[in-house]
Amino acid sequence: MRTSNMIKGLKFVWRMGKYWILLSLGVSIITGLFPILSIYITKELVNKVSLIITGNSDAYSLALMLLGAQFLIMLLSSIVNHVKDYYDHKIGIQLDHELKKEISIRANQVPYSYYDNPEFYNHLERIESNSGSKFLSPIISSFGILTALITLVSLMTFLFQIHWSLLVISILIFIPSFIVKSYYGNKQFMLNLMLTPRAREASFMRRLLTGRENAKEIRTFRLADYFVNKWSTTFLTNAEQSLVLLKKQKRAEILLDGLTGLFYTGAAGIIIWLTKTATVKIGEFVAIGQAVHNTQDAVNQISMNMAQFVEDSLYINDYFSFMESQDMKMQGNQHDLKDFPDIVSSITLANVSFRYPNSEHRILNNISLRINAGEKIAIVGHNGSGKTTLIKCLLGLYQVTEGDIYFNDTEINNIKKKSLSDNTTVIFQDFIKYPFSIKENIVVSNVNDQDNYEKMESAAKDAGIHNDILAFEHNYDTILGKFLKEGEDLSGGQWQKVAMARALFKDSKVMILDEPTSALDPMSELEMFRNFKKFTFDKTAFFISHRMSAAMVADRIVVMKNGEIVEVGTHKQLIEMDGCYREMYKAQANLFTDSMEEVYV
């Protein structure tokens, strides 16, 4: 447990709810005094009732007053506790919202390569789960300790006045209770740390079994039983390890309860001995027994809250280790950087290489290329040749391992991330299909301009989806998919046109398209490429394609193989080279020729 993190956590909560902290402090002090007040009133009440039983009618009115005071304390205790529960829940919701917001922002600043690291997801999963209640728990535990301490001190003072041995017994109860609860609290956190990867795997398989987007493949391949069994094994493995720890904890707590029972029996023996050796009224006898019992409860509350404090403070350490990652800080530091160039005269890749963290294998190897203003570049190559990775480096998503990328004369790491993002557009092959309106699916690329209906409609027309949208009853307000609401389903080709409209709506200086026509029918694909140069005439554009015919509309074609650029040129030049490009082109051409011959035969 790091004290500095606890202080930062307290400052965070103070900023969010200083009045809640002050309220909790006041409530802790008041509720800590309730037990001793209740014991005192009970003692006097029992004594007065005993006098009434022996015929002393003068004690009757005072007994009623004490009874009323006892009722008021019970009522006040109930009101205070329920009010506190409400405000605890309220601040928990506010913290949960703020923490999840901060985590989301920070996750968006982490180096993109972290998303290829499973440990990053494990860390994110741990701090995302019930973040508000876990962050608040150490503070609530602290107030619980304060309340129990006030109760304990007042009761121990009362017991000490009766006999010093009762005080010693109360202290002895505390030590084993705290040790056991702290030990298993720490063990529980470390177990959760270890079980997180399997918990994520089980959660993923549950989504496979219950998600609409997965249902067709799960049913077609009859995978339900396979994944149910796989999920069940993973779930039960985690559950078994949790139960092993819980079993050990309960054994220890049984021994602890037995030890507490012995202490309580010893205290009861001392009380009986006192009734023989001293003048103790019946009220004092009842009060001493109640005080001993309440003292043990207070001791248990302190040890339990301290153990909970230790366990949940580990979560706070985990949270700040995520939020204060040096890599993330470096990503977030955008001071003294430049804006994206107003006019992009060139994009240069100088000896660029890339490999994933903790890996020696180079995905890109010594890439050098210069792209002039307004050029349309097609990137082709077999699967795994490094095409999409190269694009991600151009976007600044991946930090290159070696070499540099320049926009004009400005190195990419010297450009503000926001400015770079604002001036580049990319539609990946696995673009997001938002379960919102068609309008939102288009304007999401530039939400600052989302009310520009004319621009949105123009983008949809250029992408070839406008007429399809008008066919829906609610036009651009039509909800897509059936995940959140009863919306309309689009075909793969229609979704790809919506994604193209999204890219065009952003209207940035550099446009990158990853397989922009893979789901289009031949006529739509032909129309798309006929319009390609028109809607990118003033932009520098890149597109990745496996279709060699698509590459013919580019000014230059870049051929990649095994993470390297092996050929660069126009379609005609590359055909004349008789190299890798010509081989791929002929393979596709022969495929279509053979298909046509089969049709005519």
Side-chain angles (χ1 to χ4, degrees), residues 336-350 370 393-394 404-417 419-420:
D336 302 324
L337 298 183
K338 298 179 180 180
D339 288 322
F340 195 85
D342 292 330
I343 299 174
V344 181
S345 58
S346 67
I347 301 173
T348 305
L349 293 89
R370 180 183 173 89
C393 289
L394 271 173
D404 297 293
I405 298 174
Y406 296 91
F407 289 88
N408 296 349
D409 296 325
T410 305
E411 205 270 323
I412 191 171
N413 290 324
N414 293 327
I415 298 174
K416 295 176 182 176
K417 296 296 181 186
S419 184
L420 177 64

Side-chain angles (χ1 to χ4, degrees), residues 316-481:
I316 293 181
N317 288 339
D318 208 24
Y319 170 82
F320 281 113
S321 73
F322 180 87
M323 298 299 289
E324 296 176 354
S325 165
Q326 291 302 314
D327 287 325
M328 296 184 194
K329 283 182 176 180
M330 183 176 62
Q331 286 279 70
N333 182 14
Q334 295 290 293
H335 298 296
D336 302 324
L337 298 183
K338 298 179 180 180
D339 288 322
F340 195 85
D342 292 330
I343 299 174
V344 181
S345 58
S346 67
I347 301 173
T348 305
L349 293 89
N351 304 313
V352 168
S353 296
F354 173 79
R355 56 182 172 79
Y356 291 110
N358 305 316
S359 172
E360 296 301 320
H361 175 65
R362 289 189 175 190
I363 308 300
L364 299 177
N365 185 32
N366 201 31
I367 299 287
S368 291
L369 181 69
R370 180 183 173 89
I371 301 98
N372 298 316
E375 266 197 298
K376 318 302 177 224
I377 303 295
I379 305 175
V380 301
H382 295 297
N383 291 333
S385 60
K387 303 184 298 295
T388 301
T389 302
L390 178 61
I391 291 304
K392 290 177 179 178
C393 289
L394 271 173
L395 292 165
L397 294 175
Y398 283 150
Q399 298 288 311
V400 299
T401 308
E402 297 173 18
D404 297 293
I405 298 174
Y406 296 91
F407 289 88
N408 296 349
D409 296 325
T410 305
E411 205 270 323
I412 191 171
N413 290 324
N414 293 327
I415 298 174
K416 295 176 182 176
K417 296 296 181 186
K418 182 180 183 302
S419 184
L420 177 64
S421 175
D422 288 344
N423 287 278
T424 55
T425 297
V426 61
I427 292 297
F428 289 109
Q429 190 173 0
D430 55 349
F431 60 87
I432 300 177
K433 300 175 182 179
Y434 298 99
F436 306 133
S437 68
I438 294 175
K439 174 187 174 182
E440 287 176 286
N441 268 277
I442 295 174
V443 304
V444 72
S445 61
N446 186 7
V447 292
N448 293 327
D449 204 18
Q450 61 181 302
D451 296 325
N452 192 335
Y453 191 88
E454 183 179 344
K455 181 180 175 183
M456 175 190 66
E457 193 173 276
S458 175
K461 287 178 179 177
D462 286 341
I465 191 64
H466 176 68
N467 290 334
D468 290 348
I469 295 171
L470 294 183
F472 295 124
E473 180 181 356
H474 300 293
N475 300 155
Y476 283 88
D477 291 323
T478 301
I479 299 296
L480 296 180

Side-chain angles (χ1 to χ4, degrees), residues 276-289:
K276 291 179 63 178
T277 60
T279 304
V280 178
K281 297 179 181 178
I282 188 170
E284 277 77 6
F285 178 80
V286 172
I288 292 170

Side-chain angles (χ1 to χ4, degrees), residues 136-165:
L136 199 62
S137 183
I139 298 172
I140 292 178
S141 295
S142 298
F143 286 126
I145 292 169
L146 175 61
T147 298
L149 275 174
I150 293 171
T151 299
L152 186 61
V153 170
S154 60
L155 291 175
M156 288 172 69
T157 302
F158 174 78
L159 290 174
F160 184 74
Q161 291 174 347
I162 304 298
H163 198 272
W164 63 269
S165 59

Side-chain angles (χ1 to χ4, degrees), residues 156 160 163-174 263:
M156 288 172 69
F160 184 74
H163 198 272
W164 63 269
S165 59
L166 296 173
L167 176 61
V168 173
I169 289 175
S170 300
I171 294 173
L172 289 175
I173 294 172
F174 171 77
F263 284 134

